[in-house]
Structures are given as C-alpha cells and as structure tokens.
Amino acid sequence: MSKTAMNTALDALRYLAWMAAAGLFVYKEAELMCLAVVAAIGLGHWREAH
C-alpha cells in the first residue's frame, strides 16, 4: 500500500473514531466514548510516526 493510500485510510479511520465518540457522547456511553477517543488519538500519533 502506498504512503498516500495509507494516510487516506488512517484519516478515514480516525474520522470514524471521532464520529463514534461524538455519537457515544450523545448517548452517554462514557466508557466506549473514551475508547473511541483513545483510538482516534492513537491513529493520529501512529500516522505521524510512520
């Protein structure tokens, strides 16, 4: 997979994680929301490092 395709895929996954966190916040699912936020932040850090 090329670097551009990998970055696009990671951006899409990170966007989905943030949207999941927002949806879980609305439904007051704090534990799952925190997990989604950690996933989004982790994907961002991984993308910056690779």
Side-chain angles (χ1 to χ4, degrees):
M1 185 179 268
S2 70
K3 190 80 163 168
T4 304
M6 179 67 80
N7 284 342
T8 302
L10 285 173
D11 284 342
L13 286 173
R14 197 169 51 147
Y15 175 79
L16 288 173
W18 282 118
M19 292 302 104
L24 290 166
F25 175 76
V26 169
Y27 290 107
K28 297 182 178 29
E29 295 287 338
E31 295 86 7
L32 292 174
M33 182 191 68
C34 289
L35 182 62
V37 168
V38 167
I41 292 171
L43 285 168
H45 283 293
W46 193 85
R47 180 179 178 261
E48 294 295 324
H50 293 90

